Amino acid sequence: MTSADTFRTPAVNVSAFKAYDVRGVIGETIDAGLVARVARAAAEVLGAKSAAVGFDARETSQDFARAAVMGLRSAGCDATELGLCGTEEVYFEAGSQSLDLGIMITASHNPIEYNGIKVVGPSARPLTDQEFAAIRRRTSRGDPLGDTLTGRRLPVSPSRRAAYARHLASLVDAQAIGPLKIVFNCGNGAAGPTLEAVLGELERLGGAIEPTIVYGNPDAAFPNGVPNPLLPENHAATAEAVLAAGADFGVAFDGDFDRCFFFDERGEFVAGEYVVALLAAATLARHPHAPIVHDPRVTWAITSKIDAAGGVAVASQTGHAFIKAKMRAANAPYGGEMSAHHYFRDFYYCDSGMIPWMMIAELVSRSGRPLGHLVGEMRSNHPSSGEINFRVSDKVGAIRDVEERLLKGALRVNRLDGLSADFADWRVNLRASNTENLLRLNVEAHGNLELLDEQTAALTAVLKSWSDA
């Protein structure tokens, strides 16, 4: 059993703190002691008196969640234990119950030796940079937790997941969904039990989905690999299941299912910008003329769909805190990133991996056309390179070199997030990663694959000359 005496180490390594969350190698940069101190520091910085704690399927996650509960209670904060769940279930609990704090123990799609902490503030709002920095500083002090736990440990309501499923189902027209065959690849992460609840609620409301669930059992050993559907080597499991089932489309979740990825009826992976474009169109069908927030990496397919549907495209810097802030300022019902983070005003402006597939299911059902057809036109009209990463010796120098050598004739240059340059028939965005020592390149074109390949090759050659690999 975890006890306060476990956490009396005076020196605390806070290198696991990243730009938005805490992630580290278990036993090296993150352990139960760090988790307890982060939770206590978060409660103290926010003055929190109520919190929810959940955890994913990793081997250490339950123990780390217990440590987080202890840290919260030592700060006088009541802690509701959600158990095994997804990050968005923590968001839902914090938002629907107006809690002061939400803590999710997860390393999402990171390798198996990792674990981490995601933290949200009152009513599931993102932490400010100042709050997160203050939590880091308090954690680093290494103060002993002490033995007095004045906050209460609260069990979760048995109806909590059902309430979450009802809320999600209310965001679509369940009766308009189906009949559809859908493959769901849970990757042995946390998604399986929650997916069953959501499917059950949609069925109760009249939705007609025949699901095929792949790797639905949460398993800390990840016998089929860590659930990271963005990696090309992980696509085959979902693609093959789609073809074998004769499914209308496939959905693959990451470890804490705050992201989902799509495969069309032919088993082809659907690039993130096309998903944002489809969700924008689906949102505008329900909220005519609304603003839609998007990141600036790959935009032409997205803005084309928004314009055609009569909406207003609003560009935002990449990153959940920026997207959510821009959505609140614009009162936007939806915001999306090509990295598969999708945010919804009616879900406390938080990201969800469950809402997108329900919206796509409704869109496919209403259109009477397969997902591949809906995406095919965009693939043809707005082809893109996919995100290409470069580890370079000097990020600033590399970006300046690209601009001086290749981008002088641009019609428009924008520095909202990295460097974006628009030409008549192609466009590029080059930005430094917020979480890794990488430059990320995205190139898109107007219906010209040869031009796309030509410009991508030229940009790649310059960036490789700066490689520190």
Side-chain angles (χ1 to χ4, degrees):
M1 179 176 290
T2 306
S3 70
D5 290 336
T6 309
F7 310 120
R8 294 190 179 278
T9 307
V12 176
N13 176 359
V14 291
S15 62
F17 274 75
K18 308 302 179 187
Y20 307 124
D21 58 15
V22 180
R23 280 176 288 115
V25 176
I26 298 162
E28 294 182 14
T29 57
I30 189 168
D31 58 16
L34 178 73
V35 173
R37 288 186 168 85
V38 170
R40 181 184 63 179
E44 291 173 345
V45 167
L46 295 173
K49 297 302 179 186
S50 59
V53 179
F55 59 85
D56 71 8
R58 290 174 185 255
E59 185 176 5
T60 56
S61 290
Q62 186 169 4
D63 283 343
F64 282 10
R66 292 193 187 103
V69 168
M70 179 172 291
L72 292 168
R73 295 177 64 202
S74 73
C77 179
D78 294 343
T80 299
E81 297 181 294
L82 303 184
L84 176 72
C85 66
T87 296
E88 66 190 71
E89 292 180 90
V90 172
Y91 296 158
F92 176 76
E93 188 73 8
S96 64
Q97 302 304 310
S98 299
L99 302 181
D100 300 323
L101 185 61
I103 292 178
M104 177 68 182
I105 305 300
T106 181
S108 185
H109 60 282
N110 288 109
I112 197 167
E113 66 270 19
Y114 280 75
N115 213 331
I117 314 166
K118 294 181 179 179
V119 184
V120 290
S123 298
R125 72 157 173 81
L127 300 180
T128 66
D129 290 344
Q130 294 79 10
E131 287 168 340
F132 194 60
I135 293 169
R136 186 182 190 278
R137 285 194 302 272
R138 281 183 181 249
T139 301
S140 69
R141 296 196 314 223
D143 300 333
L145 284 175
D147 298 310
T148 303
L149 304 178
T150 55
R152 295 175 298 167
R153 177 183 174 192
L154 303 175
V156 67
S157 165
S159 62
R160 187 266 311 168
R161 182 163 283 161
Y164 156 85
R166 281 196 304 273
H167 181 73
L168 261 59
S170 75
L171 303 180
V172 296
D173 182 355
Q175 290 185 339
I177 296 176
L180 292 175
K181 292 182 178 181
I182 306 176
V183 165
F184 298 95
N185 185 347
C186 300
N188 300 118
T194 307
L195 175 64
E196 294 281 4
V198 173
L199 287 169
E201 180 63 16
L202 289 175
E203 182 180 16
R204 186 185 71 82
L205 294 174
I209 296 173
E210 182 182 330
T212 297
I213 299 178
V214 178
Y215 308 145
N217 183 45
D219 189 335
F222 295 130
N224 300 289
V226 174
N228 184 0
L230 193 56
L231 295 178
E233 58 266 31
N234 290 343
H235 290 179
T238 308
E240 290 170 2
V242 167
L243 295 175
D248 292 283
F249 63 87
V251 180
F253 299 103
D254 68 0
D256 61 335
F257 67 88
D258 63 346
R259 295 188 299 164
C260 70
F261 300 82
F262 290 87
F263 296 76
D264 68 19
E265 70 282 359
R266 297 184 298 271
E268 292 186 25
F269 182 78
V270 180
E273 67 266 25
Y274 304 138
V275 177
V276 174
L278 291 177
L279 291 175
T283 299
L284 288 166
R286 180 168 286 201
H287 304 280
H289 313 300
I292 302 293
V293 176
H294 63 89
D295 70 66
R297 286 174 283 186
V298 182
T299 66
W300 280 350
I302 297 166
T303 56
S304 171
K305 279 289 186 186
I306 294 171
D307 291 345
V312 180
V314 180
S316 167
Q317 189 173 346
T318 304
H320 78 102
F322 301 112
I323 297 280
K324 291 173 182 177
K326 186 73 76 171
M327 288 177 66
R328 282 181 164 89
N331 193 30
Y334 167 68
E337 296 183 87
M338 60 170 285
S339 56
H341 286 288
H342 303 285
Y343 309 87
F344 302 91
R345 181 180 62 197
D346 294 334
F347 193 63
Y348 314 102
Y349 292 98
C350 290
D351 39 333
S352 166
M354 289 288 170
I355 298 172
W357 72 256
M358 295 192 299
M359 291 178 66
I360 294 295
E362 183 181 348
L363 183 65
V364 168
S365 299
R366 287 188 181 279
S367 72
R369 294 183 291 170
L371 180 58
H373 182 88
L374 297 176
V375 174
E377 185 178 1
M378 291 187 288
R379 284 180 176 141
S380 177
N381 292 341
H382 306 289
S384 66
S385 63
E387 192 156 80
I388 307 170
N389 294 318
F390 300 87
R391 196 172 298 278
V392 302
S393 54
D394 178 358
K395 293 179 185 177
V396 174
I399 293 174
R400 185 186 303 117
D401 193 21
V402 165
E403 184 173 12
E404 292 176 352
R405 291 169 62 177
L406 299 177
L407 306 182
K408 283 188 174 179
L411 300 176
R412 287 176 298 277
V413 172
N414 183 288
R415 302 182 193 278
L416 173 66
D417 195 353
L419 173 67
S420 296
D422 288 55
F423 295 80
D425 297 315
W426 69 283
R427 180 180 178 277
V428 60
N429 174 263
L430 181 62
R431 61 182 289 274
S433 168
N434 290 321
T435 57
E436 300 176 78
N437 185 31
L438 297 171
L439 280 181
R440 304 194 189 279
L441 172 70
N442 285 281
V443 189
E444 56 187 317
H446 281 315
N448 189 331
L449 281 172
E450 185 177 345
L451 176 64
L452 175 71
D453 292 342
E454 174 188 319
Q455 297 300 339
T456 302
L459 289 157
T460 296
V462 174
L463 291 168
K464 280 188 173 179
S465 72
W466 287 83
S467 174
D468 64 357

